[in-house]
Amino acid sequence: MVFAKELMVSASSKVFPHNNSFHQKQGTFWVNPILVPLENRRFRRLRNRARFPVAAISENLVKTSLTVHAEKPVQFKVRAVVTVRNKIKEDFKETMLKHLDAISDRIGTRNVVLELISTEVDPKTKSPKKSNKAALKDWSKKSNVKTERINYTTELIMDSNFGVPGAIIVTNKHQREFYLESITIEGFVSGAIHFPCNSWVQGERIFFSNQTYLPGDTPAGLRVLREKELINLRGDGKGIRILSDRIYDFNTYNDLGNPDEGVELTRPTLGGSQNHPYPRRCRTGRAPTDTDMHTESRVEIPLPMYVPRDEQFDESKMNTFIIKRLKAVLHNLIPGLKASLSANNQDFNRFSDIDDLFSDGLPMQDEILKKFPLPQVLTKIQQCSQGLLKYDIPKIISKDKFAWLRDDEFARQAIAGVNPVNVEVLKVFPPVSKLDPEIYGYQKSALKEEHILGQLDGMTVQQAIVENKLFMLNYHDVYVPFLDGINALEGRKSYATRTIFFLTPLGTLKPIAIELCLGLSSKSKRVVTPPVDATTNWKWQLAKAHVCANDAGVHQLVNHWLRTHACIEPFILSAHRQLSAMHPIYKLLDPHMRYTLDINALARQKLINADGIIESCFTPGRYCMEISCAAYKNTWRFDMEGLPADLIRRGMAVPDPTQPNGVKLLIEDYPYAADGLLIWSAIENWVRTYVNHYYRHSSLICNDKELQAWYSEAINVGHADLRHERWWPTLNNSEDLVSILTTLIWTVSAQHAAINFGQYPYGGYVPNRPPLMRKLIPEESDEEEYANFIADPQKYFLNALPSLLQATKYMAIVDILSTHSPDEEYLGESRHSSIWSGDAQIIEAFYRFSSDIRRIEKEIQRRNSDPTLRNRCGAGVLPYELLAPTSQPGVTCRGIPNSVST
């Protein structure tokens, strides 16, 4: 039998008395296809056409349908095209399993089987209508095909009263999992039906078509499957998760310490207590350590940490990480040997020592080689891997090698560097601490008017404040509670700092004073002002270095890790647990959740763990995550994470309804904010169009049980320690939803890009942005230290920076974090657009969004060429491209990926 599509027939119910599955969508009625007998190959169009398309029916079948086929549905075949993505590289075990699967598939003992599920319920069985099961025909024949994607086919037999397919069950009986990209069903009169899968398949899986349904609109045949899939994803909260699981659940950060290895590696559990509140992370269920029942045992690299199977990096992304990790190992090979064989070679003594990292890759001195057991081997390693040992030149010194020394560049990076989100307007002078005086005592600032009066172009301090000319980087309150502990650590010295800037008539900032506080026990405070001679110049450079180290710590621990990684994870976990793949909001968020759980798991393994890279390379050491925890408790607010709200909170903008974004910047040439507001508006417009399309009335939002469960769980479980805060936005109407979704998408895309992908371009040259400091500014009362400083201030300055080993370890990790992988998906792009292909209006809206993003990219390029914008254009000045949407792979200092993936 064959199935034809061209004939239009009357819609009389008398012709199809057996078929109750008429479907109405946007004014068009679709009738299920009818089988055409093989012997009747002649077709004709009826003159009296219906206004809706139906299946082709042979002339003979029309004549006999009233009597012969009125009660018995006929059958027809449809074709399924299954697209599977191949692995680039296979290990021996995978290769063997592939061949065994090919053999078993050929003889029919183990195969891949499909079964279509209708949107309709069978009136007799009260269960969804199902097609026959059909195995993929050509799996064994294509087992050796090496292309990136392979298409497999099969045919399924359908009844004419089957209705519209809404789901498909895929059963993988093979021993080896495979990555299923999509399934397309061809042969229905309404056109091809698409099932976007993008998932690993082991055992039995359910996939839904690209049609979007709010929970209340779910077709009867899909309701049970919709809930069943969510139940499977939630799990039962018990047991140890294995790598093949697809279960999303919550847990506290109780796996950062490793008490079994020593008391010095004990760390507090973050989350679940008043003293250490924190967002929740993905539960793994591992057994506790031997020495502490409340600490989860660790899994160390190269063993993988559990995240749900579909959240794991794909092969291209993982290969990029592995290559970068290998490069990091090679980068640290020589510094590690130097540090272990000679105590005198752990420091930079001249700036040329740092330059060697970007030229020859740290050659080994003869005295070091003599101590090595096999010096000829080490020499050979150096010769063979010279290119790999060499670091790429960071952008900060690519245009002007000495730009980092200038005060204007130091200030410019506060608004156009890798951490442009802490600068705030100064409203009160001297600044006032917000620390609880009952706990920390009265924290009076050492800043006085005489410190800055001569730097205000003739203004009084009060005039400058009124005219919004004074700005501040305030790292006082975040560091004071931890300073005594930090300064007691070996090789760590820190101040709590406040830096005051003046806005010049050119629209640039200049630093005019730096306050340095030594903490609660010392109570020592001092103010350093711009230099007047050689000695004060070096003290000024040391003070700026301490500010940069504090900035690097807050940037990494608060703005980067906490705000864009940790605080987003609960929303992702809840989305998978509470929003069906058919839900429109899940489809909207899906590209913005890619890889985040995996990169966060890797961070727990290697970055934020006890004695990990963050503790090793940043000034706070073992107190790093406690600083992050305190910031979550005291300063993080979801309602302030959107760009306009954050700018207003910091006083960098004022509400202005006449402006496109509703705010007016106090510093017009504030590159991060100016470009960011363009991106924010584009995201907001796209989200508003999307939300209003699916929620035409506020009651639909209030009655959407999946949507409400997602938001409620993200707050009450994922952010349980802050769930009672009154600042959480409500979710009662479309504007609430638009605001919440815009904030989330902004945070994981543009906000993360702005503070992540400049880490190596700005921090790769350690003097520009040292992650830690090992010396305080010398006091004349300390005669020996001060004498060393006076005798060789350059050496003293460099010895205050990270050691050679610390610097190269830090450079290696920020190189990895700043790298775009080849499979990156950028804002305004969608590699899986088929998830929306069931709705033409949404596709059109997304294309408009993509067009807006391209227009913004051109506007950013224009701004970077405008000589009047001195914070992004000028001799030796880096253009501001961190919010330029697109990028090539590698370290480019630009590009906005859809999700937090590094």
Side-chain angles (χ1 to χ4, degrees):
M1 293 183 171
V2 296
F3 176 60
K5 301 181 180 179
E6 301 297 329
L7 189 63
M8 309 294 287
V9 298
S10 171
S12 171
S13 59
K14 294 180 181 179
V15 178
F16 304 104
H18 61 282
N19 190 348
N20 298 318
S21 56
F22 282 78
H23 302 285
Q24 182 177 8
K25 183 174 182 182
Q26 298 181 350
T28 302
F29 288 82
W30 298 95
V31 179
N32 285 324
I34 302 297
L35 190 67
V36 180
L38 284 172
E39 61 271 17
N40 294 293
R41 300 300 182 108
R42 295 171 57 230
F43 305 100
R44 66 185 179 88
R45 292 186 181 274
L46 299 182
R47 294 184 179 181
N48 188 15
R49 294 181 179 178
R51 291 191 298 172
F52 49 88
V54 295
I57 302 175
S58 72
E59 183 177 3
N60 185 55
L61 182 59
V62 171
K63 293 177 180 178
T64 60
S65 62
L66 289 177
T67 58
V68 179
H69 297 290
E71 296 180 358
K72 184 179 179 180
V74 292
Q75 293 183 326
F76 63 97
K77 291 181 180 179
V78 296
R79 180 172 179 260
V81 180
V82 176
T83 303
V84 172
R85 190 168 69 202
N86 254 341
K87 292 195 71 172
I88 301 171
K89 296 180 180 179
E90 297 175 340
D91 57 28
F92 177 76
K93 179 181 178 181
E94 290 173 325
T95 302
M96 289 299 298
L97 288 177
K98 182 176 74 172
H99 290 309
L100 290 173
D101 287 339
I103 294 171
S104 61
D105 191 274
R106 186 177 299 114
I107 62 178
T109 56
R110 290 177 176 271
N111 45 30
V112 177
V113 177
L114 308 184
E115 183 181 22
L116 278 174
I117 309 296
S118 174
T119 58
E120 299 178 5
V121 171
D122 189 318
K124 295 181 180 179
T125 64
K126 306 299 182 183
S127 60
K129 297 177 182 178
K130 297 182 180 181
S131 71
N132 70 306
K133 294 182 179 181
L136 296 185
K137 297 179 179 179
D138 42 2
W139 190 280
S140 59
K141 295 179 182 179
K142 298 180 179 179
S143 60
N144 292 318
V145 175
K146 301 299 183 182
T147 57
E148 183 179 359
R149 289 171 177 81
I150 305 177
N151 290 329
Y152 300 96
T153 61
T154 191
E155 291 180 335
L156 298 102
I157 299 175
M158 316 292 296
D159 285 341
S160 56
N161 63 356
F162 179 80
V164 176
I168 190 167
I169 295 177
V170 181
T171 304
N172 177 16
K173 298 180 182 180
H174 291 165
Q175 299 180 66
R176 185 170 177 261
E177 66 176 3
F178 62 87
Y179 188 84
L180 177 58
E181 281 200 345
S182 64
I183 301 174
T184 300
I185 306 297
E186 300 171 341
F188 285 91
V189 69
S190 55
I193 297 172
H194 300 285
F195 294 84
C197 305
N198 303 305
S199 180
W200 292 95
V201 177
Q202 305 169 73
E204 183 178 289
R205 289 290 307 280
I206 302 170
F207 296 102
F208 299 101
S209 74
N210 61 353
Q211 293 298 317
T212 300
Y213 300 104
L214 294 175
D217 298 332
T218 308
L222 304 180
R223 289 172 191 165
V224 173
L225 290 180
R226 181 171 187 152
E227 184 57 32
K228 178 183 177 181
E229 179 70 357
L230 288 175
I231 291 172
N232 291 338
L233 291 170
R234 293 174 195 144
D236 59 5
K238 301 176 182 178
I240 299 175
R241 300 271 64 87
I242 60 175
L243 295 177
S244 59
D245 284 345
R246 294 175 57 252
I247 295 176
Y248 299 78
D249 204 357
F250 299 92
N251 202 358
T252 58
Y253 281 76
N254 62 348
D255 63 343
L256 302 183
N258 193 358
D260 289 349
E261 295 296 320
V263 66
E264 70 279 3
L265 296 180
T266 300
R267 296 293 181 271
T269 293
L270 303 185
S273 68
Q274 186 175 359
N275 291 332
H276 295 101
Y278 216 62
R280 301 303 190 259
R281 50 91 172 177
C282 184
R283 179 185 177 276
T284 64
R286 295 192 306 271
T289 59
D290 295 333
T291 54
D292 184 356
M293 290 296 295
H294 300 291
T295 299
E296 190 172 86
S297 56
R298 291 188 52 76
V299 174
E300 303 294 353
I301 289 176
L303 296 177
M305 182 93 76
Y306 168 76
V307 293
R309 183 64 182 98
D310 290 339
E311 307 304 315
Q312 297 168 24
F313 288 169
D314 74 6
E315 204 170 0
S316 174
K317 177 76 171 179
M318 182 54 73
N319 286 342
T320 301
F321 248 73
I322 291 172
I323 291 170
K324 282 288 186 177
R325 193 183 296 161
L326 175 61
K327 190 176 179 181
V329 170
L330 290 172
H331 278 157
N332 282 280
L333 176 63
I334 304 302
L337 290 172
K338 280 190 170 186
S340 62
L341 298 175
S342 175
N344 297 325
N345 283 277
Q346 294 189 40
D347 296 330
F348 297 111
N349 294 314
R350 292 290 180 264
F351 283 102
S352 59
D353 294 341
I354 300 176
D355 295 340
D356 286 343
L357 296 172
F358 311 111
S359 55
D360 299 325
L362 281 181
M364 293 282 278
Q365 290 87 352
D366 290 339
E367 63 270 19
I368 303 299
L369 284 172
K370 291 176 182 178
K371 295 180 181 181
F372 192 72
L374 297 171
Q376 65 275 16
V377 175
L378 187 59
T379 302
K380 192 67 175 177
I381 291 174
Q382 281 191 284
Q383 293 173 350
C384 295
S385 59
Q386 196 66 55
L388 290 174
L389 292 175
K390 183 171 63 174
Y391 282 88
D392 296 328
I393 296 176
K395 274 200 170 185
I396 185 60
I397 59 171
S398 63
K399 296 185 71 174
D400 182 353
K401 185 176 179 180
F402 303 105
W404 67 276
L405 279 167
R406 300 197 314 266
D407 285 357
D408 63 291
E409 178 61 24
F410 169 75
R412 189 191 74 86
Q413 289 185 33
I415 56 175
V418 70
N419 188 41
V421 297
N422 278 106
V423 64
E424 59 185 277
V425 73
L426 185 63
K427 289 296 185 183
V428 178
F429 190 88
V432 178
S433 172
K434 295 180 182 179
L435 292 173
D436 188 345
E438 293 186 4
I439 300 176
Y440 302 104
Y442 179 58
Q443 295 290 314
K444 183 179 180 180
S445 174
L447 285 161
K448 294 180 172 55
E449 288 197 6
E450 53 261 34
H451 288 131
I452 65 172
L453 197 57
Q455 301 284 337
L456 303 183
D457 290 354
M459 287 182 166
T460 66
V461 173
Q462 190 58 34
Q463 282 178 316
I465 288 176
V466 170
E467 296 184 24
N468 295 316
K469 297 293 184 181
L470 292 178
F471 296 84
M472 176 173 61
L473 278 180
N474 186 358
Y475 298 130
H476 179 275
D477 289 3
V478 70
Y479 277 93
V480 162
F482 302 95
L483 268 184
D484 289 342
I486 292 171
N487 287 326
L489 298 173
E490 183 180 358
R492 307 297 170 98
K493 295 299 177 186
S494 181
Y495 298 97
T497 60
R498 292 187 180 104
T499 307
I500 309 300
F501 300 93
F502 178 71
L503 181 62
T504 71
L506 294 175
T508 60
L509 294 176
K510 70 174 182 179
I512 57 177
I514 297 174
E515 181 186 21
L516 306 163
C517 172
L518 266 181
L520 300 175
S521 62
S522 171
K523 297 185 178 179
S524 172
K525 298 179 182 179
R526 63 192 294 191
V527 176
V528 181
T529 54
V532 294
D533 60 15
T535 301
T536 54
N537 176 68
W538 280 106
K539 288 185 177 180
W540 178 247
Q541 295 298 339
L542 281 167
K544 291 195 297 181
H546 274 281
V547 172
C548 288
N550 283 358
D551 186 76
V554 172
H555 162 260
Q556 197 67 261
L557 301 170
V558 180
N559 299 328
H560 182 207
W561 166 254
L562 174 67
R563 294 174 63 184
T564 68
H565 282 258
C567 287
I568 293 300
E569 185 158 343
F571 289 95
I572 295 174
L573 291 171
S574 183
H576 287 287
R577 288 165 54 85
Q578 303 296 342
L579 295 176
S580 166
M582 292 187 283
H583 199 288
I585 301 306
Y586 180 89
K587 291 177 181 288
L588 175 68
L589 291 177
D590 184 50
H592 304 290
M593 302 188 290
R594 186 174 184 239
Y595 293 154
T596 303
L597 296 185
D598 206 2
I599 194 65
N600 286 3
L602 285 168
R604 301 204 314 276
Q605 272 191 303
K606 196 67 175 174
L607 291 180
I608 64 173
N609 59 299
D611 202 31
I613 291 174
I614 298 297
E615 288 192 2
S616 300
C617 296
F618 287 81
T619 302
R622 63 174 297 135
Y623 300 100
C624 278
M625 289 307 293
E626 291 189 57
I627 287 178
S628 180
C629 184
Y632 178 69
K633 179 180 180 180
N634 298 322
T635 63
W636 185 81
R637 290 180 50 161
F638 182 79
D639 63 329
M640 294 295 170
E641 289 301 288
L643 179 59
D646 177 60
L647 292 171
I648 293 172
R649 172 174 61 172
R650 291 188 282 121
M652 299 302 294
V654 293
D656 186 348
T658 66
Q659 297 296 316
N661 299 283
V663 296
K664 180 180 180 182
L665 295 175
L666 296 190
I667 302 176
E668 184 177 347
D669 184 19
Y670 181 3
Y672 158 77
D675 293 357
L677 287 171
L678 297 178
I679 299 291
W680 171 271
S681 288
I683 295 173
E684 187 178 45
N685 290 338
W686 154 237
V687 171
R688 178 171 285 109
T689 300
Y690 191 94
V691 167
N692 289 339
H693 178 77
Y694 291 105
Y695 297 97
R696 303 189 185 280
H697 306 287
S698 294
S699 60
L700 293 175
I701 291 176
C702 295
N703 295 328
D704 187 334
K705 62 179 184 179
E706 287 186 8
L707 181 69
Q708 294 294 335
W710 162 68
Y711 188 55
S712 176
E713 185 178 67
I715 296 172
N716 294 306
V717 180
H719 287 277
D721 302 326
L722 299 182
R723 66 186 182 277
H724 297 305
E725 297 292 341
R726 296 182 178 181
W727 41 254
W728 283 105
T730 58
L731 181 51
N732 297 325
N733 54 52
S734 60
E735 281 306 304
D736 290 345
L737 183 55
V738 168
S739 176
I740 292 166
L741 294 174
T742 303
T743 297
L744 288 172
I745 295 174
W746 157 263
T747 301
V748 302
S749 59
Q751 177 69 7
H752 178 260
I755 60 181
N756 181 73
F757 292 104
Q759 290 189 82
Y760 187 81
Y762 282 96
Y765 188 71
V766 171
N768 176 65
R769 191 175 174 77
L772 67 80
M773 296 294 287
R774 296 184 293 157
K775 288 179 179 287
L776 298 174
I777 300 175
E779 301 274 10
E780 292 185 33
S781 58
D782 188 344
E783 294 181 4
E784 182 179 354
E785 193 77 357
Y786 197 78
N788 292 334
F789 166 68
I790 294 295
D792 195 339
Q794 180 186 148
K795 181 178 179 180
Y796 189 96
F797 177 84
L798 290 172
N799 288 173
L801 302 184
S803 68
L804 169 62
L805 185 59
Q806 290 168 330
T808 53
K809 184 184 291 188
Y810 170 74
M811 292 165 65
I813 193 61
V814 295
D815 183 31
I816 292 174
L817 296 178
S818 302
T819 299
H820 291 293
S821 64
D823 73 331
E824 205 84 85
E825 295 180 2
Y826 296 96
L827 194 65
E829 296 179 357
S830 178
R831 296 190 180 184
H832 304 305
S833 58
S834 62
I835 62 173
W836 293 320
S837 61
D839 198 317
Q841 288 180 293
I842 291 301
I843 292 178
E844 183 181 351
F846 184 77
Y847 285 152
R848 288 198 300 270
F849 172 57
S850 299
S851 178
D852 288 343
I853 294 299
R854 290 193 295 270
R855 176 183 54 79
I856 290 169
E857 185 155 29
K858 292 179 181 178
E859 173 60 17
I860 291 173
Q861 183 178 2
R862 185 199 67 77
R863 291 176 176 181
N864 286 331
S865 301
D866 186 345
T868 66
L869 302 178
R870 297 172 186 254
N871 291 315
R872 62 201 307 161
C873 184
V877 176
L878 292 183
Y880 187 74
E881 297 182 308
L882 285 168
L883 287 173
T886 63
S887 173
Q888 296 298 315
V891 179
T892 62
C893 202
R894 59 176 292 142
I896 304 177
N898 274 324
S899 62
V900 176
S901 57
T902 52

